[in-house]
Amino acid sequence: MALIRMNATGTAVQAHGTPRSTSAALDPLVARPGPIVVMVHGYRFEPEHPDHCPHDHIFSEAPDHPCYKAESWPRGLGIGALRQGLAFGWRARGSIWQAHAEAAFAGQALAGLLRRLRDADPLRPIHAIGHSLGARVILSALPELEAGTLDRVLLLAGADYASSARRALDSPAGRRARMLHVTSGENRVYDLMLRSALPPAHPGDLVLGRADLPGLPTLRLDDPRHLDGLSGLGYRVAPPQRRICHWSSYLRPGIFDLYRDLTDTCGAALHAEVSAITAPTPALAVASGWSLPLPWGANAS
């Protein structure tokens, strides 16, 4: 089986849709060689929910889905005969405050799962990709892990603060991982709304999409220089499709070709090339005094 589905309830993990133990459910993944790509969804999903289960949405391998945001991550990442995937679900419904807090618990659950995979085969490459609050889940997991547990980490429109990313980057696992944050001006309104709903604990802390951190290359999909650089590497990513979009980092035509190759055998060299085209830019000013309504609709991730 190329794709394993696991869910977190608090800090505990269980297999999706089966009474088997976690260890038994992981056995098919552990038994096969090759890298593992761990996928983590964001806000408004909940495993086993009849309408909002991520395993029936972005983690589905089905070619068609009525929701335009249901781009299949397993298909886009090439999960199949030669590549294995682990779809990680967690309880991300309720208010944004509830989901933000739950993401930290889910990060602990993810860390435990990753330790199991690393213990089973210490030399196997494990990569992670997470969108929005899913990026927060991964960032919360990294400080709990040993160096070398994760090889490459892709954070898509991360819904967290620079201080969280800095803690992850300064951890043993974070220092060894090759990390990339992908964002766009299309997500700017969501960054401002996150800051309005969840003000930073420390003055001056920036929402991740507004920060440039050493050790965390930031690929900006609304920057013509970055798109031109990707084109020069052979990745023709479409320009922005909408003025406001929280899902552009995985809906943008052509972008999954890049993610698939970043998590492939030669992805380390490609990560270095992508990092080279994301030249550091001065931190953008953060607007103050915003009071915005929460924007998240059904299955906004």
Side-chain angles (χ1 to χ4, degrees):
M1 184 180 295
L3 178 64
I4 300 296
R5 306 176 191 276
M6 306 296 293
N7 298 324
T9 302
T11 60
V13 178
Q14 62 187 31
H16 176 74
T18 175
R20 289 186 299 170
S21 68
T22 300
S23 296
L26 289 176
D27 281 346
L29 202 64
V30 171
R32 297 180 58 185
I36 299 171
V37 182
V38 179
M39 302 168 286
V40 188
H41 65 78
Y43 187 43
R44 297 290 288 177
F45 287 111
E46 182 175 339
E48 311 287 359
H49 192 290
D51 299 316
H52 305 289
C53 180
H55 302 292
D56 298 329
H57 198 268
I58 58 173
F59 293 161
S60 171
E61 297 173 277
D64 298 307
H65 192 284
C67 177
Y68 79 94
K69 292 176 286 189
E71 181 77 18
S72 171
W73 288 24
R75 290 169 62 87
L77 292 168
I79 305 299
L82 300 179
R83 179 177 301 206
Q84 301 180 81
L86 191 154
F88 183 80
W90 59 286
R91 294 181 174 179
R93 290 190 62 74
S95 71
I96 184 61
W97 300 277
Q98 291 172 319
H100 184 267
E102 189 66 27
F105 293 116
Q108 295 180 49
L110 177 62
L113 193 59
L114 292 172
R115 282 194 292 268
R116 286 178 182 236
L117 294 174
R118 177 58 66 193
D119 290 344
D121 186 351
L123 299 180
R124 182 197 300 266
I126 304 174
H127 314 304
I129 177 171
H131 175 247
S132 188
L133 283 177
R136 173 172 166 78
V137 172
I138 296 172
L139 291 174
S140 298
L142 276 165
E144 308 293 325
L145 299 170
E146 295 183 359
T149 301
L150 284 174
D151 285 67
R152 267 150 263 150
V153 176
L154 305 180
L155 309 175
L156 313 183
D160 208 344
Y161 279 92
S163 57
S164 297
R166 197 173 293 112
R167 282 194 298 272
L169 288 164
D170 289 343
S171 69
R175 287 193 291 270
R176 284 280 299 276
R178 293 178 174 88
M179 300 175 66
L180 178 69
H181 184 218
V182 182
T183 189
S184 173
E186 298 152 282
N187 195 62
R188 187 171 298 132
V189 168
Y190 288 85
D191 286 335
L192 292 171
M193 289 181 177
L194 178 71
R195 184 176 181 272
S196 178
L198 292 160
H202 309 289
D205 199 1
L206 296 175
V207 173
L208 196 55
R210 312 292 287 169
D212 286 299
L213 296 177
L216 181 61
T218 298
L219 180 66
R220 300 187 182 276
L221 298 181
D222 60 328
D223 189 328
R225 295 179 299 110
H226 290 193
L227 292 180
D228 288 346
L230 291 179
S231 180
L233 295 176
Y235 299 95
R236 300 191 179 278
V237 178
Q241 310 292 297
R242 300 174 177 85
R243 292 184 62 188
I244 299 174
C245 183
H246 188 45
W247 312 274
S248 174
S249 56
Y250 67 84
L251 289 181
R252 191 78 72 84
I255 194 62
F256 261 115
D257 292 339
L258 176 65
Y259 300 157
R260 184 180 61 249
D261 289 352
L262 280 168
T263 54
D264 203 355
T265 305
C266 298
L270 177 59
H271 180 273
E273 293 180 304
V274 173
S275 299
I277 68 174
T278 62
T281 56
L284 299 175
V286 178
S288 60
W290 281 73
S291 179
L292 298 173
L294 292 177
W296 296 277
N299 274 337
S301 49

